[in-house]
Amino acid sequence: MVLLDVLRLGGFALALAVLVRRARRADGEQPVWRCHAAAVGVLLAAAAALAVLGAAGVPARTAALVVSPSTLPACLLVYRGLSQYNRVHSATHRPADWIVGTSCAFAVAAAGNALLQGGWFPTAASGLELQLRLVVAGFVAVVLATTLQVARSSGALRAPTTWALAGSLAVLLLLQLHAALLPYGSLVRVGAAAAWVALALSLAWASRRGGVLQRAITTSRLTTTTTAFGALLAAVAVLVATTLTPGSGQLRWSVVWAVAAVAGLGLRLHRLVRDLVDHERVRREATTDELTGLANRRAFTAGLEAATAAGGPLAVLLVDLDRFKEVNDRHGHATGDRLLQHVGRGFTSVLPGGSLLARLGGDEFAVLLRGASAAGAADAAARLVAVAVEHPLDGVH
């Protein structure tokens, strides 16, 4: 086991040195390799702790259980690095975040507990040891899925670095499931150590090759939303299945992890709804005149282009207010603003349905009448003049 500790420490140290050197390069991928270097640093610290515990005479299985939780932040940091990679190379936005990744891992752990509690699979582990194995397996599964998604989006599924990363993660996932279902022997322990070292060296290899990108990433936030909804449905299904299954009154870890997943995904969906509301507000502000609430010049131009492309008759009315400068000079700009709002409301009340009224700026308005004839346009113009004359604001016409 001393040789295993030496090889493990040497592999992690080599990978960390390569990643730290890559992270110091002044380019847009610095956040990516910093996250991966931090992940390997965590693994190196865990390997050193294992070596110290082994030298102190602590049984290998006990030492492994003490240090194994350190693999969770390592997985999260690798996941974060992949997310940053997507953010750097995507024209949209990163498709993943910490909350979704962690909640998906908890959902996987909840599903695993539900299967074991239902008697679908036998297990040799129990208690906190079993939960640790399942949670680590959940995080490894999330990192593996993210790796494949990033590689597919960038056209790098056949890249050697993708095979190395995905292969080491797949072996880790199988070994974690093996440790949860079957007795944990020395062969599995050696295999897990080799797989973690292979993952670290694969990350270092990817950094030396400049990543695995072959084309621009085109994923969007829809990927995150779909993943979040899928994990949420899985967690809710686990909760329902566990509730309907008779129990012994003992703590059910499937409920614990499912509730944790639902809580995280609920927070993420709340943020998604808030982002959508903000996006709609920004979009509305970009196409709306702030003073009158009517469409602005940008919205009118877009509407005119769409109506022209659609074909058919249309009419455009350009309207300005006579002596508006005198109103501002005599009564003040506040009255002038109120007059613009008043006139805008009056124009809206007499225009036919389907027309587009916009304020182009100052005292200039424009009306787009779709499907209008010359006579219809003249009638609409007459109504605009009439409403402006018949309904003055504080005596101001």
Side-chain angles (χ1 to χ4, degrees):
M1 289 304 171
V2 176
L3 179 60
L4 175 63
D5 290 336
V6 172
L7 293 176
R8 181 163 44 194
L9 288 171
F12 288 145
L14 175 61
L16 180 60
V18 174
L19 289 169
V20 168
R21 183 176 179 180
R22 176 63 179 84
R24 290 175 178 172
R25 191 180 303 173
D27 58 17
E29 291 189 356
Q30 277 184 316
V32 177
W33 306 112
R34 285 175 181 171
C35 289
H36 290 159
V40 176
V42 171
L43 294 176
L44 177 59
L50 275 175
V52 171
L53 292 175
V58 178
R61 181 168 183 173
T62 303
L65 288 176
V66 172
V67 179
S68 289
S70 63
T71 58
L72 299 179
C75 288
L76 273 175
L77 286 167
V78 174
Y79 176 83
R80 177 69 172 176
L82 294 170
S83 178
Q84 290 285 352
Y85 188 83
N86 245 326
R87 184 178 187 180
V88 169
H89 294 288
S90 175
T92 51
H93 197 269
R94 65 181 182 223
D97 57 26
W98 288 79
I99 297 177
V100 173
T102 303
S103 300
C104 288
F106 288 157
V108 172
N113 274 283
L115 293 175
L116 293 176
Q117 291 168 2
W120 290 82
F121 299 99
T123 177
S126 61
L128 292 178
E129 178 184 357
L130 174 61
Q131 300 312 312
L132 178 60
R133 303 296 181 198
L134 291 176
V135 172
V136 173
F139 276 98
V140 172
V142 169
V143 175
L144 175 59
T146 306
T147 300
L148 295 175
Q149 185 269 324
V150 171
R152 181 186 62 83
S153 300
S154 61
L157 277 176
R158 297 183 180 180
T161 47
T162 300
W163 283 93
L165 284 170
S168 57
L169 288 167
V171 170
L172 274 175
L173 179 59
L174 293 176
L175 290 175
Q176 289 296 328
L177 294 177
H178 182 280
L181 300 177
L182 300 173
Y184 187 72
S186 58
L187 184 61
V188 175
R189 185 163 56 252
V190 172
W196 283 114
V197 172
L199 174 62
L201 293 176
S202 298
L203 291 172
W205 186 23
S207 72
R208 296 288 294 177
R209 290 175 59 89
V212 296
L213 187 69
Q214 294 184 4
R215 65 168 181 257
I217 296 175
T218 57
T219 53
S220 67
R221 289 186 178 182
L222 181 61
T223 305
T224 305
T225 306
T226 304
T227 303
F229 271 110
L232 181 62
L233 290 176
V236 171
V238 169
L239 287 174
V240 173
T242 306
T243 302
L244 297 178
T245 303
S248 59
Q250 298 179 348
L251 174 66
R252 294 189 175 187
W253 283 99
S254 58
V255 174
V256 174
W257 299 125
V259 169
V262 169
L265 293 168
L267 176 61
R268 184 62 185 87
L269 293 176
H270 169 73
R271 289 173 53 185
L272 174 64
V273 172
R274 185 185 62 189
D275 290 344
L276 291 175
V277 171
D278 291 341
H279 175 74
E280 175 61 23
R281 176 181 56 80
V282 172
R283 187 197 65 80
R284 186 173 61 252
E285 291 176 351
T287 58
T288 303
D289 177 59
E290 183 178 359
L291 177 63
T292 62
L294 301 174
N296 60 14
R297 180 184 294 271
R298 181 183 296 107
F300 183 81
T301 302
L304 180 59
E305 291 176 351
T308 304
L314 60 90
V316 173
L317 306 179
L318 298 179
V319 188
D320 64 18
L321 308 183
D322 292 340
R323 298 184 301 279
F324 182 71
K325 185 177 182 302
E326 295 179 13
V327 175
N328 278 332
D329 294 340
R330 180 177 300 180
H331 301 281
H333 288 279
T335 300
D337 290 345
R338 291 176 54 219
L339 180 61
L340 291 172
Q341 296 168 345
H342 175 73
V343 169
R345 289 191 295 268
F347 287 171
T348 302
S349 65
V350 298
L351 287 173
S355 58
L356 175 61
L357 172 64
R359 179 184 173 221
L360 301 182
D363 64 342
E364 296 179 345
F365 295 81
V367 181
L368 174 62
L369 301 171
R370 300 177 182 88
S373 62
D379 179 66
R383 280 181 283 164
L384 293 177
V385 173
V387 74
V389 173
E390 294 173 2
H391 300 281
L393 174 67
D394 300 337
V396 178
H397 293 267

